[in-house]
Amino acid sequence: MTIKGKQKSIGHIMLLIVISLYLLAAFLNPTSAYSALISSLSVLKTVLPILLVVLFLMTFINSYIQPKKISQYLGQKSGLKGWLIAIISGVFSHGPGYVWYPMLSDLRAHGVKDSLIIAFFYARSIKVPWLPMMAGYFGITFTVILSFYILAAAVIQGMIAEKLMLTK
């Protein structure tokens, strides 16, 4: 079975588990189950615009960007350029992390290095809109040093993960 096929199977299994849990909750406590369903629909309403953007990006990537180009910029031989792209795009990415999973999984299938995906997720902890607020509370020096450490840690985490994954 291919990686895509395994991911699809896991997705179907997870969906069945969630539906089963909702049905069990509805059977045991219908009021709480209804409340949970309304809450879930509220979350879906919040993330739906982001999911649509991610879907658009995935469609764009699959339609117009050649896997060879992705591999060139973010693949095994991407070098410093790949790290910079991963970190900068991580810093400027928005929305919940799980929304990025489908697109990053798709990029991974096109040859993006796991270490760069890890660096992307790690760099997401820097939120550009919050930097002025952080500087206001903690000072510019603190904000710059913390941001530098986060970016350095993103690269280190990616490198460590790459080494660990190679040993498997």
Side-chain angles (χ1 to χ4, degrees):
M1 183 180 280
T2 64
I3 291 175
K4 283 273 186 191
K6 286 181 184 175
Q7 290 174 339
K8 210 172 197 177
S9 293
I10 291 172
H12 287 137
I13 290 170
M14 289 298 295
L15 180 62
L16 285 175
I17 289 171
V18 168
I19 289 171
S20 298
L21 289 173
Y22 267 109
L23 291 174
L24 180 66
F27 178 73
L28 296 175
N29 189 341
T31 306
S32 293
Y34 179 75
S35 176
L37 179 64
I38 296 301
S39 179
S40 295
L41 290 175
S42 174
V43 170
L44 180 63
K45 184 179 169 186
T46 302
V47 299
L48 193 59
I50 299 167
L51 284 173
L52 291 175
V53 170
V54 169
L55 182 65
F56 171 77
L57 288 173
M58 288 174 62
T59 303
F60 179 78
I61 288 169
N62 285 325
S63 299
Y64 297 107
I65 298 177
Q66 303 289 326
K68 190 176 177 182
K69 282 284 182 195
I70 293 173
S71 190
Q72 177 185 351
Y73 289 111
L74 299 168
Q76 295 301 322
K77 296 181 180 177
S78 58
L80 179 63
K81 183 175 30 179
W83 288 105
L84 289 174
I85 291 171
I87 288 172
I88 291 170
S89 59
V91 168
F92 287 102
S93 66
H94 285 281
Y98 59 86
V99 173
W100 291 94
Y101 295 169
M103 188 176 89
L104 293 173
S105 174
D106 194 44
L107 287 173
R108 185 181 187 208
H110 283 93
V112 172
K113 290 178 14 179
D114 288 340
S115 57
L116 298 180
I117 292 172
I118 290 167
F120 171 87
F121 277 118
Y122 206 93
R124 284 180 41 82
S125 60
I126 295 176
K127 302 295 181 200
V128 175
W130 297 351
L131 288 177
M133 187 182 205
M134 180 186 274
Y137 278 105
F138 299 104
I140 290 175
T141 304
F142 179 90
T143 303
V144 169
I145 290 172
L146 178 63
S147 298
F148 173 78
Y149 280 135
I150 289 171
L151 295 176
V155 173
I156 292 168
Q157 295 289 333
M159 289 176 166
I160 290 171
E162 188 173 275
K163 294 286 182 200
L164 290 173
M165 290 177 179
L166 285 178
T167 59
K168 286 185 174 180

